[in-house]
Amino acid sequence: MKRVLAAGAALVPLLAGCTVAGNASGGGGSGEIVVGYQSKTINTVTAGTLLRSQGYFEKRLKELGGDKHSVVWRDYDTGAPITAQMLAGKIDIGSMGDYPLLINGSRSQAQGGDAATEWVSVTGYNLRGSLNGVVVANDSKAKTLRDLKGKTVSASVGSAGHGTFVQAARRYGLDPSKDVKVENQQPTVGASALQSGHAAAFAQFVAWPGLLVNRGEARLLYDGGQLGVPTFHGVVVRKQYAKDNEKILRAFLQAQIDATNYLHAHPLEAAESVASATGLPVETVYLYNGAGGVATFDPTVKKPLRDAFVQDVPFLKSIGVIQTPLQVDPFVNESYIRKVVGPSYDGQAASTANPAAITGTDEVCKTKVGDAATAGEVWVKGEPRTRPVADPVCLLRNVKALQGQGKQIRAAYIPDTASGTRWFADKDVWVEDPSAGAAKRFKPFATQEGAQKYVSAHGGARVVAYDEAVKRA
């Protein structure tokens, strides 16, 4: 792995491109609130892209005092420059992933004084870690992470995608400091490096793995869900700013809830809004943010997420990303979101069920859809709603029936048989297991490794092409 940079050094090339007008006392000019977000990191949309496009924060601010306040939105590719600008007093509220949050808290505590920051809410999360992944070129011979030994991997050092890769590589017997060279690159640069052959793999956070796979430019080598470590994104605020402007912060958190409710009630429209604002394919956005999506959106701070956060502190110190271990208790402040949510907070925080479950009736299999472990969707071109499917075999049967009607499939989504990670059905590796019975004969896997493990453990099972599975389902 690359000689891992200390957090401060890792930020240097990123800071050069940051231009945020503001002052240390309040982010922007008089009456301005500066919000730093990552438009293409679609796990943060309820505190960024979707929140901005729907105008919820501005609407909540008007309730406080007419046109007294205005919002300045600053868009970045990663969380690192947001942290740098917050420490300089030039961003008031920001959203970023769990590892960048740790770096944010660590650096703010080390700097002290008015630089102190607090993590105040969650945007989206995945309890297994499936928001992160490692992809390789379609013609790559790599079957597992072990096959990347001696090769170059592109990652944003200190990001959740990078952390997932390091932890997973160790499980495959790789020494991250010796066996793999990691190039510290922005996601856009890393994607180009993968396509040009300058990088053998690309380890990144949502939505990059899904984007490249959806475009047909890569395949998933490692699903972060295999790691089994929760990953999430959240909202961070300058502590002094929150104290001085609690009403504004609460208005932001209420607006975040507005955006979350909209996403749950109108998942397809929300995905289209995000796609329009970011230029991302709506099919990729919906993979993560749609009903039954890879990301679960809930602003409450849940115990499994906080526990994972605590465990990440020594890990990030061990790889040199943070120098001063974060004191978690002073950094986590859920009092603001608790006030905004109200009496239902504890119950909501205790629940990890996806509020945007796939429901309805499978029109082809004539069965009710409700099992999150197997439910999927088919999106037909020209239709305003996706079609729910009960399980993998029913998905194949739906696709076959629709093709027979001359309809074009825009996208089809189904959970991985082993990890449960929702993925593109036509990009999955499908396995036929005759011993499983007709209703479960075909099984999807997001990675070749997952499919091969199943085949090895089940005599008579074999990998089949997606088109063949559709034809024979």
Side-chain angles (χ1 to χ4, degrees):
M1 168 173 281
K2 169 186 176 69
R3 312 324 174 241
V4 179
L5 302 175
L11 294 172
V12 172
L14 297 172
L15 296 180
C18 299
T19 55
V20 178
N23 54 53
S25 64
S30 177
E32 288 186 343
I33 304 119
V34 181
V35 179
Y37 74 112
Q38 304 165 69
S39 64
K40 289 184 172 60
T41 306
I42 56 176
N43 196 36
T44 65
V45 295
T46 53
T49 309
L50 186 63
L51 177 67
R52 180 181 184 181
S53 67
Q54 296 299 312
Y56 288 129
F57 188 25
E58 288 82 355
K59 292 174 185 176
R60 290 291 178 177
L61 288 173
K62 282 188 176 181
E63 295 175 2
L64 291 181
D67 297 324
K68 180 180 178 181
H69 306 286
S70 62
V71 184
V72 177
W73 298 90
R74 301 297 183 187
D75 186 10
Y76 300 92
D77 287 337
T78 65
I82 297 176
T83 288
Q85 294 296 309
M86 291 189 80
L87 294 179
K90 295 183 178 181
I91 287 181
D92 304 311
I93 303 170
S95 58
M96 59 190 70
D98 42 10
Y99 285 11
L101 279 170
L102 278 168
I103 296 171
N104 183 293
S106 174
R107 293 195 68 212
S108 74
Q109 288 181 358
Q111 186 166 323
D114 291 340
T117 58
E118 297 176 312
W119 165 31
V120 294
S121 73
V122 172
T123 56
Y125 69 92
N126 183 283
L127 290 180
R128 299 182 307 275
S130 296
L131 293 168
N132 307 310
V134 181
V135 298
V136 294
N138 289 314
D139 60 357
S140 171
K141 295 181 179 179
K143 296 180 179 179
T144 74
L145 290 182
R146 194 175 294 109
D147 298 324
L148 297 179
K149 184 174 183 178
K151 300 186 183 300
T152 298
V153 177
S154 173
S156 301
V157 172
S159 71
H162 170 238
T164 293
F165 173 73
V166 172
Q167 293 186 70
R170 288 175 175 175
R171 294 190 181 186
Y172 282 79
L174 297 177
D175 183 339
S177 65
K178 300 176 181 178
D179 294 332
V180 183
K181 179 184 178 182
V182 171
E183 288 291 349
N184 183 19
Q185 297 174 326
Q186 293 280 351
T188 51
V189 176
S192 296
L194 180 69
Q195 293 166 6
S196 66
H198 288 98
F202 179 66
Q204 278 296 351
F205 46 81
V206 56
W208 289 96
L211 172 63
L212 296 188
V213 170
N214 183 35
R215 284 178 174 172
E217 298 171 357
R219 63 176 172 82
L220 190 65
L221 178 71
Y222 183 83
D223 165 20
Q226 296 173 237
L227 198 61
V229 177
T231 186
F232 65 92
H233 288 65
V235 174
V236 64
V237 65
R238 292 193 295 113
K239 189 173 183 177
Q240 189 59 51
Y241 181 86
K243 286 183 178 179
D244 295 341
N245 302 276
E246 181 174 348
K247 289 184 178 179
I248 290 177
L249 176 58
R250 289 173 66 174
F252 181 89
L253 295 175
Q254 183 60 65
Q256 182 191 342
I257 293 174
D258 294 338
T260 303
N261 291 339
Y262 178 80
L263 183 146
H264 291 159
H266 308 283
L268 207 57
E269 291 87 342
E272 289 171 338
S273 174
V274 172
S276 175
T278 62
L280 290 168
V282 66
E283 297 85 359
T284 299
V285 178
Y286 194 76
L287 169 75
Y288 293 102
N289 293 10
V294 182
T296 298
F297 288 88
D298 185 328
T300 61
V301 180
K302 301 180 184 300
K303 187 176 185 302
L305 304 182
R306 194 181 189 284
D307 290 347
F309 197 68
V310 172
Q311 294 302 313
D312 286 339
V313 174
F315 167 70
L316 284 182
K317 188 174 189 303
S318 74
I319 64 174
V321 172
I322 59 174
Q323 303 303 306
T324 305
L326 172 71
Q327 296 180 45
V328 175
D329 287 343
F331 182 61
V332 183
N333 184 354
E334 58 186 307
S335 66
Y336 297 112
I337 189 65
R338 178 181 288 276
K339 290 178 182 177
V340 173
V341 172
S344 65
Y345 183 85
D346 287 331
Q348 189 171 327
S351 173
T352 56
N354 191 338
I358 300 173
T359 59
T361 300
D362 187 316
E363 295 181 6
V364 173
C365 286
K366 307 300 181 185
T367 184
K368 187 176 180 180
V369 178
D371 186 350
T374 62
E377 295 175 293
V378 176
W379 189 357
V380 178
K381 186 175 181 179
E383 293 188 354
R385 295 288 179 269
T386 57
R387 300 189 182 204
V389 298
D391 54 52
V393 171
C394 285
L395 179 139
L396 298 173
R397 292 180 61 192
N398 271 266
V399 170
K400 182 178 181 179
L402 290 165
Q403 289 177 343
Q405 298 168 19
K407 295 185 181 295
Q408 184 176 344
I409 307 299
R410 189 168 183 176
Y413 310 97
I414 199 71
D416 180 290
T417 300
S419 70
T421 298
R422 169 179 163 107
W423 207 240
F424 300 105
D426 64 330
K427 307 299 184 184
D428 276 324
V429 181
W430 286 82
V431 171
E432 180 182 14
D433 183 1
S435 67
K440 298 182 179 180
R441 187 182 186 93
F442 293 97
K443 300 179 181 296
F445 295 87
T447 66
Q448 291 182 358
E449 181 182 14
Q452 289 301 326
K453 282 183 178 179
Y454 186 91
V455 169
S456 298
H458 297 79
R462 67 184 184 96
V463 173
V464 296
Y466 173 67
D467 289 342
E468 181 183 350
V470 169
K471 185 183 299 183
R472 298 178 49 226

